[in-house]
Amino acid sequence: MKKDKKAATGILSLVLWAALLTVLLHLLDRRGGGHLMEGLGHVLYWLMLCIAVFFFWWLLMGWRLRKFMKRLDRAGLDYLRSRDVDGYLLELDACCEMVGVRNMTLGGIPAMDYVTILKVRTLREAGREGEAFALLETAKQEMKGEKALLLLRDEEEKLEKHQ
């Protein structure tokens, strides 16, 4: 959460600095006869446009992340109530099909890797060690992040203790 606040503060300060510079350049341009803004005005316009596009993208990704997390939480709650392993795994797959999930990270772990670890854990807890090991072996080859691999190793150790 701290990282999000820092990012929001950084974007807001960028927008405010760009607005302040625009005002200052306008004031300087009026004193100088109006020739300064012809060139710099276009540069500032494009700079502000780029900042606005980035800010819109950042808001859109935040909205998608919140939507994904809500669905993931709801799936987990439904699983805790019903203990329907297959239904939970199908809902996790559906969560992964949401727009933008492939580019999301959760605590420094790609969202897809996080969901895979959830699947391995669920299969292990349901007593389906064979399926859990198969998914774990596939995941080991696909995952590259250090945090995700640490969590995967933890699941592997827990699976080995059960056998």
Side-chain angles (χ1 to χ4, degrees), residues 23-105:
V23 169
L24 287 175
L25 283 173
H26 245 320
L27 291 174
L28 286 173
D29 189 40
R30 284 191 179 176
R31 285 188 178 172
H35 301 293
L36 179 66
M37 283 305 285
E38 289 176 10
L40 289 177
H42 294 295
V43 172
L44 281 176
Y45 170 77
W46 286 106
L47 179 68
M48 289 296 286
L49 188 63
C50 289
I51 290 171
V53 167
F54 175 76
F55 189 65
F56 176 75
W57 172 84
W58 184 71
L59 288 174
L60 181 65
M61 287 306 294
W63 177 75
R64 286 178 176 171
L65 180 63
R66 278 191 296 285
K67 191 174 172 183
F68 169 74
M69 290 304 297
K70 233 181 199 178
R71 188 168 182 182
L72 199 61
D73 288 344
R74 191 173 49 245
L77 186 60
D78 290 346
Y79 170 67
L80 289 175
R81 287 181 182 152
S82 68
R83 290 294 180 192
D84 178 17
V85 175
D86 292 323
Y88 180 54
L89 294 174
L90 285 173
E91 185 61 21
L92 288 178
D93 287 336
C95 287
C96 290
E97 296 301 318
M98 293 174 69
V99 176
V101 172
R102 296 200 186 282
N103 299 325
M104 291 179 192
T105 58

Side-chain angles (χ1 to χ4, degrees), residues 3 65 68-69 72 96 100-119 121 139 142-155:
K3 193 175 184 180
L65 180 63
F68 169 74
M69 290 304 297
L72 199 61
C96 290
V101 172
R102 296 200 186 282
N103 299 325
M104 291 179 192
T105 58
L106 306 170
I109 300 171
M112 300 294 284
D113 293 352
Y114 182 81
V115 171
T116 302
I117 292 165
L118 282 178
K119 288 179 184 179
R121 180 175 295 152
E142 294 174 1
M143 289 185 191
K144 293 174 180 62
E146 189 176 320
K147 288 182 180 181
L149 288 172
L150 277 172
L151 289 173
L152 205 58
R153 273 188 231 122
D154 185 48
E155 285 302 318

Side-chain angles (χ1 to χ4, degrees), residues 1-13 58:
M1 194 61 138
K2 243 182 182 180
K3 193 175 184 180
D4 290 341
K5 286 182 181 179
K6 280 185 179 181
T9 304
I11 290 171
L12 182 62
S13 67
W58 184 71

